[in-house]
Amino acid sequence: MNLKESLEIKKQFVDNELDKIIPDETSYPGILFKSMRYSVFAGGKRLRPVMALAACEIFDEDISKAMPFACALEMIHTYSLIHDDLPALDDDNFRRGRLTNHKAFGENIAILAGDGLLSYAFEVMANAVAKNPSAANAKALQAVAFAAGVNGMVAGQALDVVSEGKPLTKQQLDFININKTAAMIVGSVKAGAYAAGAEEKDVDILEKAAIKLGLAFQIQDDILDVVGTFEDLGKAIHSDEKNEKTTYVTLFGLERCKEIVETLSNEAIELFSHFGEKAEFFVELTKYLVDRKS
Ligand code: FPP
Ligand code: MG
């Protein structure tokens, strides 16, 4: 099976499950669920949950073991996008090819839709642990919580927002990128691997690969913000310039950034290759992400 087919099958699997577990607007109060579902089902790439399932598959062919964590990762990622787009943060009008949540539902409901997705993600993971209280499931939950919170995404986002309009060193920018973006990619592969019962030594290798992949992914995101199109990205371009953000592109220029992305992804591929044929998905995915347009 090629990467595209494998990606599509896993994405479908995740989408079906998300559709099953997130209540629709017939639940009360309907506006909350309508707003949550508006952003979740807006056409995201589902990279994080797909990576969780693929990491699980390296160690156990039953990828449903990783499904609650995969769904939680996508719900947390979607909450972070909703909040990131708010006027108090990046103040963006379009995301995933449609109006941002607060433009469609108002700021109050957008904040609550984000809160709802974040807390529901933890409920879904806790339900999985309650059903099967294994160390594997507990570690998977721990990996997602670590990635999403004050040791990861929230910390990166905090430095990001207070740094607007200020010059940053490479070290400060790396802190932002590693925490804001790479942490959730790391959390995804770790959660999937743990859910399958992987050993620490294998999870460590996956973690090292995912940091490289996560950094390459963010730098490519910065590149696309400069050279991409609204149609491909489904969101405004030149958002970093508007918000006076230091990025790899402002520090090193486009050409050097492309080289850095290439180097990081080759290093990630080398690490993934440790798992041989079983990690072929990640090798192909890494190549695809470097060349992506959205
Ligand atoms: C695009 O993901 C998103 C990123 C590159 C990460 C940006 C990080 C944040 C917005 C963190 C915000 C954090 C808080 C706490 C508000 P993608 O290209 O996978 O998007 P898709 O899911 O729409 O395809
Ligand atoms: Mg943003």
Side-chain angles (χ1 to χ4, degrees):
M1 200 187 305
N2 66 28
L3 176 77
K4 238 179 160 178
E5 287 164 348
S6 181
L7 258 177
E8 199 43 47
I9 288 174
K10 289 187 173 67
K11 188 169 178 286
Q12 253 330 307
F13 200 26
V14 169
D15 281 348
N16 289 345
E17 191 63 19
L18 284 169
D19 188 33
K20 227 168 33 191
I21 65 174
I22 305 176
D24 67 20
E25 62 193 270
T26 59
S27 292
Y28 192 72
I31 190 70
L32 174 64
F33 299 105
K34 190 174 180 187
S35 164
M36 284 162 59
R37 292 180 71 97
Y38 172 86
S39 290
V40 170
F41 298 107
K45 295 184 287 295
R46 305 288 191 239
L47 282 177
R48 294 151 193 82
V50 163
M51 283 188 215
L53 299 184
C56 176
E57 206 169 25
I58 296 177
F59 307 98
D60 190 327
E61 60 191 29
D62 180 9
I63 58 174
S64 66
K65 286 183 177 168
M67 188 53 96
F69 308 101
C71 288
L73 284 154
E74 186 62 22
M75 290 194 283
I76 293 170
H77 169 59
T78 304
Y79 118 75
S80 83
L81 300 180
I82 296 173
H83 282 191
D84 185 60
D85 290 334
L86 286 166
L89 286 93
D90 280 356
D91 192 13
D92 276 312
N93 295 339
F94 289 93
R95 170 73 74 175
R96 292 177 164 175
R98 50 170 72 170
L99 283 174
T100 45
N101 198 292
H102 65 274
K103 283 284 164 192
F105 295 91
E107 276 183 59
N108 48 9
I109 288 297
I111 290 169
L112 293 167
D115 294 341
L117 286 166
L118 174 60
S119 32
Y120 191 51
F122 279 84
E123 186 178 329
V124 167
M125 293 191 289
N127 288 343
V129 177
K131 198 168 163 198
N132 177 10
S134 59
N137 274 346
K139 283 188 198 175
L141 191 158
Q142 200 176 37
V144 177
F146 190 88
V150 293
N151 295 301
M153 184 175 69
V154 173
Q157 183 74 356
L159 186 60
D160 191 25
V161 300
V162 297
S163 302
E164 280 184 14
K166 294 183 194 149
L168 289 177
T169 62
K170 178 178 179 295
Q171 282 70 21
Q172 289 167 318
L173 185 57
D174 282 341
F175 178 92
I176 292 175
N177 291 347
I178 286 170
N179 287 281
K180 184 180 84 167
T181 305
M184 283 288 283
I185 307 241
V186 170
S188 302
V189 297
K190 284 179 80 171
Y194 277 135
E199 290 175 24
E200 293 297 339
K201 66 171 179 30
D202 288 330
V203 178
D204 282 351
I205 297 168
L206 276 181
E207 171 161 14
K208 289 196 177 84
I211 292 176
K212 305 267 188 201
L213 175 56
L215 274 176
F217 184 75
Q218 180 57 58
I219 299 167
Q220 182 67 14
D221 200 73
D222 297 343
I223 293 174
L224 290 174
D225 189 59
V226 177
V227 306
T229 64
F230 175 83
E231 288 69 30
D232 283 338
L233 295 171
K235 62 179 182 181
I237 52 168
H238 304 153
S239 170
D240 294 330
E241 191 184 343
K242 178 194 84 178
N243 293 317
E244 296 179 52
K245 290 202 184 179
T246 302
T247 68
Y248 259 64
V249 178
T250 62
L251 278 189
F252 301 113
L254 273 176
E255 286 316 305
R256 180 80 190 103
C257 278
K258 288 180 194 161
E259 289 167 16
I260 296 171
V261 169
E262 188 79 28
T263 305
L264 283 166
S265 51
N266 285 337
E267 288 169 356
I269 287 172
E270 203 176 317
L271 286 157
F272 283 127
S273 301
H274 171 87
F275 299 100
E277 262 181 31
K278 285 185 179 282
E280 216 178 295
F281 178 87
F282 280 103
V283 171
E284 292 306 314
L285 183 72
T286 306
K287 289 181 190 161
Y288 156 78
L289 290 177
V290 179
D291 291 326
R292 77 187 197 277
K293 301 257 177 296
S294 69

